[in-house]
Amino acid sequence: MRIFLTGATGFIGSALVPELINAGHQVIGMTRSDAGAQSLAAAGAEVHRGTLEDPESLRSGAAKADGVIHTAFDHDFSRFVENCEKDRHAIRALGAALAGSDRPLVITSGTGMGNHEPGQPGTEDVFNTSHPNPRIASELTGAELLNAGVNVSVVRLPQVHDTRKQGLITPFIAIAREKGVAAYIGEGRNRWPAAHLLDVARLYRLALEKREPGARYNAVDEEGVEVREIAEAIGRGLNVPAVSISREEAADYFGWMSAFAGMDFPASSVQTRARLGWHPTGPSLIADLDAMQYGDVAR
């Protein structure tokens, strides 16, 4: 298949390009920069110039493909609500190019959209349309396109990690370095799901090849890693103490990230594994945190 990939030079996209090519697909990778174009060409992908802010570049890329994987997202969390709305418009543009065909569109969301009961793992068969996380805009837009006949499926991401980046944990590390302590709230028993980057890239490929309209897949290896354990690993890496803080102290310590730091959102991938034959094999989150070169990476 000829696959249009947004976010092709990003953290997940850069792993997805070789995953798709090695499986026999052709990749049309979107980038906004000369450096991105060079890296895509070197990886064996066709270069497509475009941005999330330019819907025509998204439509034209999707129009020349047999399928689309949308991993691009603006990760400036200080403008999170605005960026979630930007993603809504990007998904609509991609869907417009695929309307009237069976060409698959795989979009990206978060595992929290499958959390229904507090403390219970999020599952693929749950779509909490009243979830307060603004990222719900992505799945709501996917559902809108699905109802219009577009072949949309969703990959829900946990904390995706290797020894360079780890989702929300990357800014967690920067905060701990700045503050001189790695903090967690209360007992730190709240849990974050996780999966290794290469396992996640393989899941996106399998989801595209499955071509199942309306499917939701949880890219989860570990259902829930306690935040205290994460903070302790960061403390080891930075050689700073891991300490408990109160909820009242969280806003001062975490800043914009305080909205996420106390969340307990474990997630299951039982259904995903059964439907796609996906079996993650990568290192655990804590193993990657322990293997990091903190002086070079976590800045």
Side-chain angles (χ1 to χ4, degrees), residues 1 17-26 205 209:
M1 296 173 63
V17 169
E19 172 69 30
L20 292 168
I21 290 174
N22 291 339
H25 300 292
Q26 296 174 276
R205 174 178 63 80
E209 293 171 347

Side-chain angles (χ1 to χ4, degrees), residues 105-129:
L105 167 61
V106 180
I107 65 172
T108 302
S109 182
T111 57
M113 303 309 113
N115 284 104
H116 184 62
E117 297 291 336
Q120 295 300 310
T123 57
E124 299 89 336
D125 58 342
V126 171
F127 178 28
N128 184 357
T129 57

Side-chain angles (χ1 to χ4, degrees), residues 153-176:
S153 58
V154 181
V155 170
R156 291 170 167 172
L157 298 181
Q159 306 310 305
V160 181
H161 60 85
D162 64 3
T163 56
R164 298 174 297 129
K165 292 184 179 180
Q166 303 84 23
L168 286 172
I169 298 163
T170 297
F172 196 143
I173 294 168
I175 293 167

Side-chain angles (χ1 to χ4, degrees), residues 188-207:
R189 300 297 300 274
N190 55 306
R191 298 154 294 173
W192 292 358
H196 189 269
L197 173 63
L198 297 182
D199 289 322
V200 172
R202 186 167 70 256
L203 176 54
Y204 271 102
R205 174 178 63 80
L206 293 171

Side-chain angles (χ1 to χ4, degrees), residues 9-283:
T9 60
F11 180 50
I12 292 175
S14 61
L16 191 45
V17 169
E19 172 69 30
L20 292 168
I21 290 174
N22 291 339
H25 300 292
Q26 296 174 276
V27 175
I28 307 165
M30 189 175 82
T31 182
R32 67 170 68 223
S33 70
D34 291 340
Q38 291 173 1
S39 67
L40 285 172
E46 178 183 333
V47 176
H48 177 86
R49 294 289 189 142
T51 68
L52 286 176
E53 297 80 9
D54 180 6
E56 182 52 39
S57 69
L58 295 167
R59 283 191 290 266
S60 63
K64 57 185 178 182
D66 301 314
V68 177
I69 299 178
H70 176 48
T71 67
F73 189 79
D74 187 335
H75 287 95
D76 178 357
F77 284 98
S78 67
R79 305 173 65 183
F80 187 49
V81 174
E82 178 182 336
N83 291 336
C84 290
E85 285 303 306
K86 185 190 300 186
D87 196 53
R88 182 198 299 274
H89 295 306
I91 291 169
R92 282 178 176 159
L94 294 167
L98 301 176
S101 75
D102 189 45
R103 291 177 292 162
L105 167 61
V106 180
I107 65 172
T108 302
S109 182
T111 57
M113 303 309 113
N115 284 104
H116 184 62
E117 297 291 336
Q120 295 300 310
T123 57
E124 299 89 336
D125 58 342
V126 171
F127 178 28
N128 184 357
T129 57
S130 60
H131 199 285
N133 189 328
R135 191 68 195 266
I136 198 171
S138 302
E139 283 203 43
L140 288 172
T141 309
E144 169 190 306
L145 293 177
L146 183 69
N147 290 335
V150 179
N151 184 345
V152 182
S153 58
V154 181
V155 170
R156 291 170 167 172
L157 298 181
Q159 306 310 305
V160 181
H161 60 85
D162 64 3
T163 56
R164 298 174 297 129
K165 292 184 179 180
Q166 303 84 23
L168 286 172
I169 298 163
T170 297
F172 196 143
I173 294 168
I175 293 167
R177 172 180 279 116
E178 176 189 349
K179 302 288 187 177
V181 296
Y184 52 90
I185 299 173
E187 295 183 356
R189 300 297 300 274
N190 55 306
R191 298 154 294 173
W192 292 358
H196 189 269
L197 173 63
L198 297 182
D199 289 322
V200 172
R202 186 167 70 256
L203 176 54
Y204 271 102
R205 174 178 63 80
L206 293 171
L208 184 88
E209 293 171 347
K210 185 72 170 177
R211 306 173 66 105
E212 183 179 345
R216 304 184 192 98
Y217 304 108
N218 283 358
V220 172
D221 179 8
E222 298 176 277
E223 285 197 3
V225 183
E226 289 190 356
V227 173
R228 177 172 181 167
E229 189 179 359
I230 294 169
E232 289 171 344
I234 293 169
R236 290 192 296 272
L238 293 175
N239 195 28
V240 300
V243 301
S244 171
I245 61 175
S246 69
R247 291 196 176 274
E248 291 73 26
E249 296 172 301
D252 183 58
Y253 176 87
F254 285 108
W256 65 264
M257 198 179 156
S258 61
F260 301 97
M263 284 186 175
D264 181 42
F265 52 102
S268 166
S269 61
V270 170
Q271 296 173 39
T272 294
R273 296 178 194 226
R275 290 158 70 185
L276 294 181
W278 179 69
H279 303 290
T281 59

